[in-house]
Amino acid sequence: MSISVKHLTKYYGNQAAVDNISFEAKNGEILGFLGPNGAGKSTTMKIITGFIPATEGDVEVCGMNIKTDSIKTQEKIGYLPENNPLYLEMYVKEYLSFIGKIYKVKNIKERVAEVIELVGLQKEQHKVIGALSKGYRQRVGLAQAIIHDPDVLILDEPTSGLDPNQLEEIRGLIKKIGQQKTVMLSTHIMQEVEAICDRVIIIKNGKLVANERASELQNNKSLQVIYVEFEGEVSRNQLAKIKYVRKVEAVDTNSFILETTLEIDARKMIAEYAKKENLLILTLRKEEKTLEEVFKSLTT
């Protein structure tokens, strides 16, 4: 495995930012790392990249332990932090050459030219970084992360703040890079996860609550979304009292979207409730769940 995390824990004082999580990521896989703000995503990524130490647990990158082989593991990792710290006064080509020399990249001129072409910075390579748009700065950040041809890429919210066109370009670039490398990225954009991620990990309050392929996560039977239409008016509060119904959204006075947490088919339960309350059901069907609905269910 390119990344192996075992029983990882990180305390800040008495507060557990990361609480005994374990997962793996293999080569050629794009792993979406999700969770609400403060869930422990950035802390986990910083531990994997060696920026901060873990309190407990082990992390291996490409078969090497980050504690005992910190220099060698960092050579295998490309890291783009959330705030993308660049030297704004440097020129793009100059900056990438500088980063390449830090990593002791061979044939530095050829490699810089190769990376510039890969991330689409040909027209901007002679510009000062501070004069670039945010989208192009993100490209520079990705370029510095891959300049030494790492096996693993750790990207912390790489598309944050980009416009729709920039989003599409950066996602396409990440997907292209992920064909040959292990990519772990954090994001709050569910469409991004659906578009490029092979597998999804969700953490809440430092604990792992999901680790599945994106398609499997959406088919999770413990969350069901049901559309129900009654013959007459029904109170939203009345439906909220049904056991296992965690959310009721009114479409109109007699139609509702119910979100339930039940392993068996929730339609049977709703039909039995309607019979008991002398309510006539006109329509009762399961709705396709979105990844956003699953995320909310697991993290709220």
Side-chain angles (χ1 to χ4, degrees):
M1 291 293 173
S2 295
I3 301 174
S4 177
V5 174
K6 297 178 181 178
H7 306 293
L8 187 66
T9 298
K10 177 65 177 179
Y11 279 98
Y12 291 107
N14 295 324
Q15 179 69 36
V18 180
D19 192 356
N20 192 30
I21 66 172
S22 301
F23 62 87
E24 294 180 335
K26 60 185 179 181
N27 187 44
E29 182 176 54
I30 300 179
L31 178 66
F33 196 47
L34 313 181
N37 288 330
K41 303 186 302 297
S42 293
T43 297
T44 301
M45 289 180 154
K46 288 176 182 177
I47 292 172
I48 293 172
T49 54
F51 273 72
I52 60 174
T55 305
E56 298 173 6
D58 288 299
V59 176
E60 290 185 356
V61 175
C62 299
M64 296 178 290
N65 192 289
I66 62 168
K67 293 178 183 177
T68 56
D69 295 299
S70 60
I71 300 299
K72 289 183 179 179
T73 54
Q74 287 178 352
E75 290 174 353
K76 297 286 185 181
I77 297 173
Y79 180 39
L80 177 60
E82 182 182 359
N83 58 357
N84 192 9
L86 301 171
Y87 293 116
L88 301 182
E89 71 280 4
M90 295 182 75
Y91 293 89
V92 172
K93 194 171 183 179
E94 175 193 16
Y95 171 71
L96 294 177
S97 297
F98 169 68
I99 298 297
K101 289 175 183 177
I102 291 176
Y103 281 108
K104 299 180 181 179
V105 173
K106 296 179 180 179
N107 303 317
I108 185 67
K109 288 185 179 180
E110 291 83 354
R111 179 58 182 166
V112 168
E114 182 182 347
V115 169
I116 283 174
E117 183 177 357
L118 177 64
V119 302
L121 283 169
Q122 295 95 322
K123 294 181 180 179
E124 284 71 30
Q125 61 181 304
H126 300 298
K127 293 182 180 179
V128 176
I129 294 174
L132 300 178
S133 68
K134 184 163 185 179
Y136 279 113
R137 289 188 193 184
Q138 288 297 90
R139 289 173 185 258
V140 175
L142 279 171
Q144 67 80 26
I146 64 174
I147 189 70
H148 57 300
D149 195 23
D151 295 316
V152 175
L153 272 180
I154 308 291
L155 310 176
D156 196 353
E157 299 197 30
T159 59
S160 175
L162 302 185
D163 67 36
N165 292 330
Q166 294 168 338
L167 276 172
E168 186 175 352
E169 292 169 355
I170 296 298
R171 287 174 187 170
L173 179 56
I174 292 170
K175 196 166 186 177
K176 182 179 179 181
I177 293 171
Q179 292 175 355
Q180 299 178 338
K181 303 181 184 298
T182 301
V183 179
M184 179 179 178
L185 67 92
S186 70
T187 180
H188 289 293
I189 306 171
M190 296 300 113
Q191 297 93 329
E192 187 162 275
V193 176
E194 294 172 334
I196 66 175
C197 293
D198 301 305
R199 193 156 51 86
V200 177
I201 287 177
I202 301 178
I203 61 173
K204 172 188 175 185
N205 297 329
K207 294 181 180 291
L208 192 147
V209 295
N211 182 2
E212 300 179 55
R213 297 191 67 83
S215 57
E216 294 171 351
L217 193 61
Q218 286 179 258
N219 292 327
N220 191 324
K221 292 181 180 179
S222 63
L223 171 67
Q224 296 179 52
V225 179
I226 308 293
Y227 172 83
V228 58
E229 179 187 5
F230 299 96
E231 186 179 43
E233 290 189 13
V234 178
S235 164
R236 179 177 175 274
N237 293 334
Q238 185 179 3
L239 297 178
K241 296 177 181 178
I242 302 175
K243 192 175 182 181
Y244 301 113
V245 170
R246 66 183 300 277
K247 182 180 177 182
V248 180
E249 180 181 341
V251 179
D252 51 42
T253 57
N254 67 329
S255 302
F256 301 86
I257 300 291
L258 308 182
E259 188 175 296
T260 74
T261 53
L262 191 63
E263 291 291 341
I264 63 172
D265 193 332
R267 290 175 295 181
K268 181 180 179 182
M269 175 189 68
I270 295 169
E272 289 175 349
Y273 175 82
K275 181 180 179 181
K276 179 183 175 182
E277 298 294 322
N278 294 318
L279 301 173
L280 179 60
I281 293 178
L282 299 179
T283 306
L284 182 63
R285 67 171 181 263
K286 281 187 178 181
E287 299 283 272
E288 184 176 347
K289 292 170 292 190
T290 66
L291 193 57
E292 184 173 352
E293 287 170 332
V294 176
F295 176 82
K296 288 179 179 178
S297 175
L298 292 171
T299 58
T300 57

